[in-house]
Amino acid sequence: MITVEHLTKCYGDFTAVSDLSFEIEEGHVYGFLGPNGAGKSTTMNIMTGCLSPTKGRIRINGHDIFEEPEQAKRMMGYLPEQPPLYMNETPAEYLRFVGEAKGLKGCELQRQIEEVSGQTKIEQVKDRLISALSKGYRQRVGIAQALLGNPKVIILDEPTVGLDPIQIIEIRDMIKQLGENHTVILSSHILSEVQAICEKVLIISQGKLVAFDRPENLEKLLLASNGISFTAEASREEITKVLGGIDRITQWEIEMREDELAMISVKTESEDVKDICRELFFAFADEKKAILEMSSKKANLEDVFIELTEGGVSEE
C-alpha cells in the first residue's frame, strides 16, 4: 500500500529524517511513535506530498507521490496536528469546500458529506460556526474532511491532543471503526492510546527507524524486561547468594535500609513473572529469610519506547 524507500530530509546541516525505509500494508491501524524532534511530522508531511524530501521515494499503491501526485493523493486523507479549519464557516460549508477541492460534485458530493458527518457524529453541529465548536468537535470535523473522497489511507497526526478524557475515548473508538475499512496511520505521544488502538507500531528516533512490529512482539522481544520489586529481611551477601542461584534473573539492585531490611529490584526476560516470584519466595524461604512484600511489573510499550529512544529527544 505505502512504500517508503531511503527517505532523507535535511535542513542545512540538520538531518530531520535519515535513510528511512518501511512498508505499510493494507487494512491495518499503524502507530507512529517517536520523541519530540524525532522526525514524525516531517515524515508524515513528506508522505502526504506537503513537503519534498532531500532524497528517497514514496509510493502510494504504486503511484509515486511526487511523480504522480494526483493519483497518489486521491488515495490519502490527512489530518495534521493543527486541523486546517476555517473558523468563520460551518462544518457543512467547510466540508463542501474540501469536497469540491477533491473533485467531488453534485449528488456524490452531498452523499459523501452526509456519510462522513454520520461517521464522525457531527450532524447536530453541522450548521454552527466552527469557531463556536469544542476542541473535540473540531477534531471530528478535521477527521471528516480527511474521509472525503473515500481514501484508502487515513493519516492522523496527534488526533487526541488537547482533548478531555471523554473526548479522547470517543476519538479512539472512531479510529478503531475507521480501521475496519481504511488503512490508518496514527501519530501519538500517548503510548497507552497506541497500544489500545494499533495493530503495528513504528518507532523512530533521531530520524531513523528503530523498531517496527506488533506491540506484543516489541514487549516480548526487544530491550524491555519484566521487573519484580520486594522487601527482604536479609543481608546483602545473603541476598546476592540467593539471586545468583536463579538463572532467569538477568540483573538486580539492592538498597539496604537503616532498619536492616533490604529493598531489592530484579529484572527478568522471562514471560512468566509469577513463576519467578514463586521461585524467589521459596529460594528465600529455604535460606530461612523472610520476604515481607513483593510486587511485579510486566514490560509494556512505554518501557520499549524509553529504551529505544533514550538520548534521542530534542526540541522541535
Side-chain angles (χ1 to χ4, degrees):
M1 173 56 67
I2 300 178
T3 304
V4 176
E5 298 176 340
H6 306 293
L7 191 67
T8 298
K9 180 63 179 179
C10 300
Y11 297 96
D13 295 332
F14 174 68
T15 301
V17 178
S18 177
D19 197 32
L20 194 62
S21 296
F22 57 86
E23 189 166 343
I24 300 293
E25 298 175 352
E26 188 172 358
H28 296 284
V29 179
Y30 289 83
F32 198 28
L33 297 176
N36 288 341
K40 300 189 306 297
S41 292
T42 299
T43 301
M44 286 187 162
N45 281 325
I46 297 174
M47 287 171 64
T48 54
C50 298
L51 188 66
S52 61
T54 304
K55 296 178 183 177
R57 294 182 61 189
I58 295 177
R59 287 175 291 175
I60 314 296
N61 207 26
H63 299 287
D64 189 289
I65 188 67
F66 300 105
E67 295 178 1
E68 303 174 278
E70 188 172 338
Q71 295 93 323
K73 290 180 182 181
R74 279 179 179 165
M75 298 185 180
M76 289 188 295
Y78 181 37
L79 175 66
E81 186 174 352
Q82 298 296 327
L85 306 178
Y86 295 132
M87 297 298 171
N88 60 341
E89 293 186 346
T90 66
E93 293 169 336
Y94 173 69
L95 292 177
R96 179 167 293 277
F97 166 75
V98 173
E100 289 174 348
K102 290 186 176 184
L104 299 175
K105 299 178 182 178
C107 295
E108 179 61 17
L109 171 60
Q110 186 58 37
R111 185 191 70 78
Q112 288 206 26
I113 290 175
E114 292 174 0
E115 183 177 325
V116 301
S117 296
Q119 282 181 278
T120 55
K121 299 180 181 178
I122 59 172
E123 300 103 325
Q124 63 185 25
V125 299
K126 63 183 178 65
D127 295 320
R128 294 170 55 185
L129 286 177
I130 293 175
S131 60
L133 300 182
S134 68
K135 172 73 171 175
Y137 272 115
R138 290 180 188 178
Q139 288 294 87
R140 289 173 181 272
V141 175
I143 294 173
Q145 65 81 26
L147 291 172
L148 284 172
N150 193 29
K152 289 181 176 290
V153 180
I154 307 294
I155 299 178
L156 307 174
D157 193 356
E158 301 286 350
T160 61
V161 66
L163 303 185
D164 65 40
I166 294 176
Q167 293 170 333
I168 288 174
I169 292 171
E170 292 174 344
I171 296 295
R172 285 181 185 176
D173 290 340
M174 186 190 308
I175 293 171
K176 286 182 181 178
Q177 292 175 0
L178 292 177
E180 296 174 2
N181 299 302
H182 305 269
T183 298
V184 180
I185 302 173
L186 165 70
S187 169
S188 177
H189 281 96
I190 306 174
L191 299 182
S192 59
E193 178 172 84
V194 172
Q195 197 156 17
I197 298 175
C198 300
E199 300 166 68
K200 295 186 178 182
V201 177
L202 299 89
I203 302 178
I204 66 171
S205 181
Q206 296 180 318
K208 297 181 179 180
L209 185 69
V210 294
F212 186 11
D213 209 332
R214 293 183 176 273
E216 59 269 24
N217 291 340
L218 291 174
E219 292 163 14
K220 291 177 183 177
L221 302 177
L222 292 179
L223 305 180
S225 299
N226 297 318
I228 302 170
S229 299
F230 61 99
T231 303
E233 196 173 34
S235 68
R236 183 181 295 274
E237 292 74 18
E238 291 167 333
I239 295 166
T240 301
K241 176 185 174 183
V242 173
L243 296 180
I246 301 176
D247 294 336
R248 289 180 291 174
I249 290 178
T250 55
Q251 65 183 89
W252 62 78
E253 293 181 4
I254 304 170
E255 180 185 348
M256 300 305 298
R257 298 188 341 195
E258 292 181 1
D259 58 3
E260 297 185 354
L261 295 178
M263 302 287 293
I264 305 107
S265 297
V266 304
K267 286 189 176 182
T268 174
E269 294 179 358
S270 171
E271 294 180 31
D272 193 346
V273 181
K274 288 183 180 179
D275 190 51
I276 299 294
C277 290
R278 194 177 296 110
E279 189 171 351
L280 279 168
F281 178 85
F282 287 114
F284 274 83
D286 288 342
E287 296 294 324
K288 296 185 172 15
K289 300 299 175 183
I291 291 180
L292 304 181
E293 60 181 356
M294 180 183 289
S295 62
S296 63
K297 179 180 182 294
K298 192 168 179 62
N300 56 31
L301 189 58
E302 182 175 356
D303 299 314
V304 174
F305 178 84
I306 291 171
E307 290 204 46
L308 289 177
T309 63
E310 195 169 12
V313 179
S314 61
E315 294 184 2
E316 288 187 317

